[in-house]
Amino acid sequence: MTPSSKEAIAERLAEARLRTLELIQPLDDAQLNRVYSPLLSPLAWDLGHIANFEELWLVRTIGNREPLHGELGRFYDAIENPRKTRGELPILRDAELRSYLADVRERTLEVLDEIEIGPEAEDPLLRDGFVYELLIAHEQQHNETMLQLLMTVDGYEFDAGGGLRDAGDRSPGQMPVQLDRHFEYPPVRAIPRVPETVRIDGGSFEIGATAQEFAYDNERPRHLVELAPFEIDRTPVSNGAYAEFVEDTGAEPPMYWERDGDAWIRTAMGRRDPMDPDAPVVHVSWHEADAFARWAGKRLPTEQEWEAAHPDLQGAGHAWEWTCSDFLAYPGFEAFPYREYSEPFFGETYKVLRGASWATDRNVVRPSFRNWDLPRRRQIFAGIRCARDA
Ligand code: AVJ
Ligand code: FE
């Protein structure tokens, strides 16, 4: 590994941290410690967890150093500590929390200086800098979780010059769809109320991450699937279409919608913004997405259909898209680098989401990426795209 690529890693670690700190910059310690919802961790937990995960992998595992705070790590274990208990844990807070983030980072950079990384590295954790990619992606994914909570913080404002650089003074429902190398279709300004459909001929499709790129274990191994012909909507379901469904069936409106006479307003962050009928719907549960699709005479796509059709899809990247697929291991799955990232969630309990949301850092966006959540969750930035058999 050349010094310049180590520099590139250090720079990207710094960039991810900058965004984390920008997100919490408008908040005081009391707000970081506050439990806003039993469904979401207090921000102080996410922050300590980000630092602890970095300490575990980049300092202790790679650098063989002792932990800074002994057994503290067990309070940051996401599986051992359900979200509703995290406000009561003896986690780091305030100045101690901030120093922990900084002290871990200092040691991470010391270790990075000492080691050998590159395509030939013997340790699979270091090959192609895997463990560093993992840590950058982990912090970015927790930024999205933090944003789920920030939606409920009254008066919260993004720093317009900050990590969400294009956000400006728009409300979250009107965030521009940021497209990257994986989602390079033209941004869709207005989602049609009745979407155009794309027909995909049946056949074999390669699904999963290619060997060369960084990906999580659950995206591998790449494998062939046989798909029957299907149709999929070119664009996601719009707020306007979802409002028709709500009015027609009496279904609950999405989270953060409130009625205002005949109109709908969005109430996230304590604001009151008119709902934009042309933007993709966000904050619906899997059950609601499934009900919408059936009401429209369609169904949710399987995750394999979504991945096979992804070059033809538009408007992805604003809201995650629920699929009808359970989160299952691909044939030949091998846990890497640790069992708990994916394996405990495999089964019929969790549903797969594909794409990305406005809150997802573009670095973690790729067509093979599999997100998952409980079918009742609606605080995540999730929307809908419909499909049907052809
Ligand atoms: C992929 C978003 C479901 O938050 O549980 C963060 C990501 N894994 N830390 C989650 C994750 C470990 C994961 N999701
Ligand atoms: Fe985590």
Side-chain angles (χ1 to χ4, degrees), residues 45-46 49-50 53 76-78 86 138-139 141-142 145 338 341:
W45 188 91
D46 278 281
H49 168 87
I50 287 169
F53 196 73
Y76 292 117
D77 183 315
R86 292 178 188 169
H138 182 257
E139 182 151 354
Q141 285 176 262
H142 274 277
T145 319
Y338 67 111
Y341 186 81

Side-chain angles (χ1 to χ4, degrees), residues 342-364:
S342 311
E343 228 178 87
F345 305 97
F346 286 149
E348 286 165 16
T349 311
Y350 291 87
K351 294 289 182 191
V352 174
L353 301 111
R354 290 302 199 107
S357 83
W358 62 268
T360 314
D361 194 291
R362 298 298 105 173
N363 178 55
V364 289

Side-chain angles (χ1 to χ4, degrees), residues 279-300:
V281 71
V282 194
H283 291 297
V284 297
S285 71
W286 182 89
H287 297 293
E288 291 162 334
D290 178 60
F292 176 92
R294 282 186 284 114
W295 173 81
K298 300 181 185 178
R299 60 172 171 80
L300 297 179

Side-chain angles (χ1 to χ4, degrees), residues 61-363:
T61 307
I62 300 299
N64 269 313
R65 311 281 213 276
E66 288 300 310
L68 288 167
H69 289 279
E71 291 301 289
L72 180 76
R74 68 193 178 92
F75 302 117
Y76 292 117
D77 183 315
I79 294 178
E80 292 302 312
N81 303 284
R83 287 178 174 179
K84 61 176 187 297
T85 68
R86 292 178 188 169
E88 264 79 70
L89 296 171
I91 54 173
L92 298 177
R93 295 172 193 278
D94 316 333
E96 246 194 327
L97 171 58
R98 289 168 201 274
S99 332
Y100 182 52
L101 280 154
D103 294 346
V104 169
R105 178 52 53 90
E106 203 183 299
R107 300 175 121 214
T108 290
L109 297 178
E110 272 170 33
V111 172
L112 176 60
D113 216 39
E114 294 165 9
I115 50 152
E116 284 300 322
I117 24 186
E120 292 88 35
E122 226 169 279
D123 184 346
L125 281 177
L126 292 178
R127 203 171 302 146
D128 296 318
F130 176 88
V131 77
Y132 291 94
E133 295 296 336
L134 173 73
L135 263 288
I136 292 164
H138 182 257
E139 182 151 354
Q140 290 165 335
Q141 285 176 262
H142 274 277
N143 285 175
E144 178 159 353
T145 319
M146 291 165 68
L147 276 160
Q148 291 165 20
L149 179 126
L150 291 169
M151 296 295 281
T152 70
V153 176
D154 278 6
Y156 179 79
E157 299 226 17
F158 294 115
D159 173 359
L164 295 161
R165 272 159 243 276
D166 291 331
D169 60 359
R170 283 176 239 231
S171 75
Q174 295 154 347
M175 291 288 178
V177 179
Q178 299 168 317
L179 302 164
D180 81 336
R181 66 203 154 88
H182 292 300
F183 285 87
E184 43 200 24
Y185 336 112
V188 182
R189 289 273 150 244
I191 301 286
R193 195 72 62 97
V194 179
E196 188 193 324
T197 61
V198 190
R199 190 197 141 93
I200 308 286
D201 292 330
S204 330
F205 293 87
E206 276 199 284
I207 298 295
T210 56
Q212 303 81 339
E213 62 185 324
F214 171 81
Y216 287 109
D217 55 4
N218 63 58
E219 295 164 65
R220 301 186 192 283
R222 192 165 166 89
H223 60 288
L224 281 178
V225 295
E226 284 299 319
L227 298 180
F230 65 99
E231 284 176 23
I232 189 161
D233 289 353
R234 198 181 287 285
T235 49
V237 172
S238 68
N239 282 324
Y242 202 82
E244 280 177 36
F245 162 69
V246 168
E247 275 141 34
D248 193 47
T249 63
E252 281 281 302
M255 200 168 178
Y256 308 120
W257 280 28
E258 206 177 282
R259 243 199 198 295
D260 185 21
D262 283 344
W264 291 103
I265 49 168
R266 301 190 75 253
T267 61
M269 296 173 185
R271 303 156 74 127
R272 299 180 72 79
D273 301 308
M275 175 271 267
D276 175 0
D278 299 330
V281 71
V282 194
H283 291 297
V284 297
S285 71
W286 182 89
H287 297 293
E288 291 162 334
D290 178 60
F292 176 92
R294 282 186 284 114
W295 173 81
K298 300 181 185 178
R299 60 172 171 80
L300 297 179
T302 66
E303 61 168 323
Q304 289 80 10
E305 287 171 339
W306 193 98
E307 192 168 327
H310 97 272
D312 293 310
L313 306 184
Q314 293 177 350
H318 187 107
W320 291 98
E321 298 175 16
W322 285 111
T323 72
C324 64
S325 302
D326 294 333
F327 185 50
L328 300 176
Y330 286 165
F333 167 84
E334 282 179 54
F336 179 75
Y338 67 111
R339 234 185 55 74
E340 289 74 20
Y341 186 81
S342 311
E343 228 178 87
F345 305 97
F346 286 149
E348 286 165 16
T349 311
Y350 291 87
K351 294 289 182 191
V352 174
L353 301 111
R354 290 302 199 107
S357 83
W358 62 268
T360 314
D361 194 291
R362 298 298 105 173
N363 178 55

